[in-house]
Amino acid sequence: MPAPPKIDTRAARHLFLHRSGLAQAPSGPAKGDDLRRLIRELGFVQLDSINTVARAHDLTLFARRPAYRPKALKRLYESDRALFEHWTHDASVIPIEFYPHWRLRFARDAARLKSRWRDWQGAEFQHKFDDVLTHIRDHGPVSPSDVGTDEARSNGGWWEWHPSKTALEYLWRSGALTVVGRDAFRKRYDLTERVIEEHLRHADTCPAPDDSIDWLCNAALDRQGFATSGEIAAFWDTVTPSEAKAWCAAQEAAGALVQADIACVGGATRAVYLRPETLDQIADLAPPTARMRVLSPFDPALRDRKRAERLFGFHYRIEIFVPEPKRVYGYYVFPLMEGDRIVGRIDMKAHRDCDELRVAALWPEPGVRWSDARTRRLEAELTRITRLAGVSQVVFASGWLRAPMAR
């Protein structure tokens, strides 16, 4: 049996960046159908509330389309209903045409979360389902503050989840409710039957579980270029590892997938699956644009931290929950991508009251020489970022350029 083909690290990066929308020069329209197409190509965009410069979902889209502004996503989501919000590995906006495959997720979350949340939060939230659904049916969309006003808040790690709030989340995760938008990043819930078109949610027209598993695995691999079965399962976080492993084996036996060895940073290799035609495409891929870009820590190219470390040699840890004296870098530090490399990370924050984007520190990655030319490329990117952040000037703190951290 012939040995599997080997793909060097740079070729693997190029393929992954092309599939992640980061190989091309950041340009083009960023609203309406064009924005919808971009999100479909990415699969989903993870939502995050932290707004030190811009929210993660906004920065993800801006990194690929500098013309993007948050109101374009809000319109697609809340007015056009071209997107719906649900869970992948975290809360995300997802193209509405993918909704039928989320019936599998709803069913699995319904079973999994009921027992987990009962152990964590107590059983009282289950007794609130009818009350919550009746309230929404009679009064329209609600936020958590509109229900359970007489209920005690949790003192645990649920950030004041009372039983009716827990019921809202459970009914959303299991499909009875749909999030119709956010006010100050607080979700608003309505009855799914009033939000999602019948042909998308009707049981008679929705795919069987095996069909959804096939679709989810195919869609995950398409957006990664190459992957292990575990990475395929983790992409949407709906398919189980054993289901993804069985899918890969069946696809390989049918000739639809082949295995290859990816060379990782540090010299190790990793066996992955990819489509046979992808092997032919790799050699013809154009090198990624050399333009420097600020990335969200939750960018599709980086949210799988282990994959990012294998491909880019980039170790990243969110430090928002780390006590300040123990932080290595900072509260919320942004990776910097240039070409096919992560060249540094930057600690910065938009001070909108002072109309400034303040750079506290930048650490080049080990082996990266921070030249004057790189500083000029950084300044150009930060000037573009100010338009997203809602400020007009960039200010660098004294001593902002730091020495690389040893690994």
Side-chain angles (χ1 to χ4, degrees), residues 315 317 319 322-331 333 345 347 361 363 402 405-406:
H315 175 78
R317 179 189 184 194
E319 296 187 285
V322 177
E324 187 171 0
K326 295 184 178 180
R327 289 177 189 150
V328 177
Y329 294 102
Y331 174 79
V333 173
R345 58 192 88 198
D347 182 7
W363 295 265
R402 309 292 178 83
M405 290 282 192

Side-chain angles (χ1 to χ4, degrees), residues 324-345:
E324 187 171 0
K326 295 184 178 180
R327 289 177 189 150
V328 177
Y329 294 102
Y331 174 79
Y332 196 85
V333 173
F334 299 87
L336 295 172
M337 175 166 278
E338 184 182 62
D340 63 3
R341 301 174 68 194
I342 305 294
V343 295
R345 58 192 88 198

